[in-house]
Amino acid sequence: MKKKNGRWMLLAGAAVIMAAAVAFAGCGKSDKSVKIEKSQKETAEEKTVVQENEGAEEERDTGTEKTTKNAVLELPQDGKRFPVGNRKTMTRIAVVKNGEKVFEISKEASENQVDFSEWQVTAPYHTKQLVNVSDIYTFLDNYAAWGYLEKAEEERFIDSGDWVEEEFSDTGSVKIQIGEEDEEGNSYVRADYSGNVYKVDKEMLEVLTGVEPYDFIMGIANLVYLTTIDTLEIDTGDTKAVFEIKTDSSNDQEFMKEGKKADKDQFTKLYSSLISVLITKEADREQAEKVLNSEKPVLSLKYKRNQEGLIDIEIAYYPYDDENYLLSRDKKAEFLVSREQVNQIINQAEIICR
């Protein structure tokens, strides 16, 4: 499968970037009213993301690129199905090969909203990445609908050591063990909840166990909601400043630098640029480690949050190659971003930090 490029990711991220400017605090309101508002907000935002991402998917699919997510979406839905679970209650999918978790998406606590869950890629990356949710529920439908050619006898199953885990909020977890192939190349699989053995089509099994984590990420490098920040420290190497963000119960905001009011328009334009940075591709792990140990960041950002339950975050960008900077989050670096885009932000930051 070819990796997707940044062209469609720019469109895919647009809805989320706009959503980041929306207030989520719900200050001074009852827990019940906050939950109702969050539920309504989730529905509205999900529709917006779907609309934006549908356009992105259409543009991407006009080329020759195929993603492992699309391969699951295109699986035929006819034939026999063994009972795995209901996608409406699914909370996690993980693929384990040779004892290593090579793919995992799960519903996790939001890093921008308290008491709120979002689909995230949680493995094999060290940093959680938001899932591109435009068609996640169709994907879950297809993934949960394991098809089989025929049932088989228990003795036909020889464990390969690989398996798939699926988890549901109502029925718990399911482990689908992958067995060895038959003479036609199809595989035997065993569902741990029943012990039943099934013969599964080779191509379908390759699709279900061959999903690539990068094909699922939203691709926003630095998405921290402005209304969740107490202070932001910006350091370009040449200039450095700490901004205090004062947010009232109506989410009206005031920005201070060294005890004086900062220009609101200037700061919000800079912040819009910061959350517009897109991941361009995965970094080479060995090179990323060398860069972290030998280079100094060209831009670092330290976020102190204003709500309990939300963690402080440190973002940094390091020289990597002629076209990309290495993105570091809390000292972990796994992705690259556009050097040109970050350089433009550095120029903005140096003006406002003086």
Side-chain angles (χ1 to χ4, degrees):
M1 294 287 178
K2 292 184 179 181
K3 299 291 186 186
K4 56 179 176 276
N5 58 32
R7 180 170 63 105
W8 76 271
M9 295 173 77
L10 175 61
L11 294 174
V16 178
I17 291 171
M18 289 186 289
V22 179
F24 290 91
C27 299
K29 300 175 183 177
S30 69
D31 290 342
K32 183 176 180 181
S33 66
V34 169
K35 287 180 180 178
I36 291 172
E37 287 186 7
K38 284 182 177 178
S39 175
Q40 293 170 339
K41 207 168 280 145
E42 179 187 27
T43 303
E45 286 163 7
E46 186 174 276
K47 287 179 180 178
T48 303
V49 172
V50 168
Q51 291 167 355
E52 293 288 342
N53 288 344
E54 279 175 350
E57 293 289 340
E58 183 178 349
E59 178 173 336
R60 180 182 55 175
D61 289 344
T62 57
T64 59
E65 292 179 304
K66 285 287 185 180
T67 71
T68 59
K69 183 172 77 170
N70 280 347
V72 174
L73 293 171
E74 293 166 4
L75 281 173
Q77 294 301 297
D78 53 354
K80 304 171 184 177
R81 305 286 168 189
F82 63 92
V84 178
N86 182 346
R87 69 91 173 159
K88 292 181 180 179
T89 64
M90 185 177 282
T91 57
R92 186 174 75 96
I93 298 172
V95 179
V96 180
K97 294 183 178 180
N98 299 317
E100 180 182 356
K101 196 180 290 182
V102 297
F103 172 84
E104 182 180 53
I105 61 171
S106 61
K107 261 199 166 180
E108 300 281 317
S110 171
E111 296 184 339
N112 280 299
Q113 300 180 68
V114 178
D115 299 326
F116 190 75
S117 296
E118 297 173 305
W119 279 98
Q120 301 181 43
V121 176
T122 48
Y125 304 130
H126 293 100
T127 55
K128 295 177 182 179
Q129 298 293 318
L130 281 174
V131 167
N132 184 350
V133 298
S134 63
D135 43 23
I136 189 63
Y137 295 108
T138 304
F139 170 85
L140 296 177
D141 251 345
N142 286 20
Y143 204 97
W146 281 71
Y148 68 91
L149 301 172
E150 60 187 50
K151 285 189 176 181
E153 299 298 325
E154 169 67 23
E155 58 266 22
R156 302 301 300 270
F157 181 83
I158 301 175
D159 194 358
S160 68
D162 299 341
W163 69 87
V164 171
E165 297 171 4
E166 298 182 12
E167 199 163 310
F168 304 86
S169 60
D170 54 349
T171 56
S173 60
V174 172
K175 184 176 181 180
I176 303 167
Q177 296 170 289
I178 311 300
E180 294 188 355
E181 298 178 356
D182 66 5
E183 60 277 1
E184 297 176 342
N186 300 312
S187 293
Y188 295 101
V189 302
R190 180 168 62 192
D192 70 340
Y193 62 89
S194 66
N196 290 337
V197 175
Y198 304 87
K199 185 187 288 188
V200 175
D201 176 76
K202 177 182 179 181
E203 291 184 4
M204 190 194 79
L205 186 63
E206 287 178 349
V207 168
L208 293 176
T209 60
V211 280
E212 295 280 351
Y214 190 78
D215 289 342
F216 290 77
I217 66 172
M218 180 66 73
I220 309 297
N222 180 22
L223 185 59
V224 182
Y225 292 168
L226 185 54
T227 52
T228 70
I229 302 171
D230 183 31
T231 62
L232 170 60
E233 179 183 306
I234 303 175
D235 188 348
T236 69
D238 294 327
T239 57
K240 182 177 180 179
V242 177
F243 294 87
E244 182 182 359
I245 295 92
K246 296 183 177 181
T247 307
D248 65 20
S249 60
S250 300
N251 287 315
D252 290 327
Q253 293 183 298
E254 186 176 74
F255 309 104
M256 308 292 293
K257 184 183 73 170
E258 298 175 355
K260 298 179 180 180
K261 279 190 179 182
D263 185 287
K264 185 173 183 177
D265 289 340
Q266 198 175 45
F267 184 85
T268 53
K269 284 179 182 178
L270 171 63
Y271 204 83
S272 177
S273 297
L274 288 174
I275 62 175
S276 298
V277 178
L278 300 177
I279 291 170
T280 56
K281 59 177 131 177
E282 293 174 331
D284 177 81
R285 290 189 178 185
E286 289 187 8
Q287 186 175 347
E289 186 175 351
K290 289 179 182 178
V291 166
L292 285 180
N293 292 331
S294 62
E295 298 286 351
K296 292 183 178 180
V298 296
L299 175 65
S300 63
L301 309 162
K302 294 181 180 179
Y303 299 85
K304 183 177 179 182
R305 312 301 279 273
N306 61 13
Q307 298 178 42
E308 289 186 13
L310 299 181
I311 61 172
D312 297 343
I313 296 172
E314 183 174 346
I315 300 289
Y317 300 95
Y318 291 81
Y320 186 85
D321 59 28
D322 291 341
E323 295 182 353
N324 301 284
Y325 282 127
L326 178 68
L327 168 67
S328 167
R329 176 172 173 143
D330 299 328
K331 309 298 183 184
K332 298 179 179 69
E334 299 170 294
F335 300 101
L336 303 179
V337 298
S338 164
R339 191 182 185 103
E340 180 181 0
Q341 189 176 20
V342 174
N343 282 342
Q344 292 174 355
I345 292 172
I346 292 172
N347 291 336
Q348 285 180 270
E350 287 182 341
I351 293 172
I352 195 172
C353 288
R354 290 179 189 145

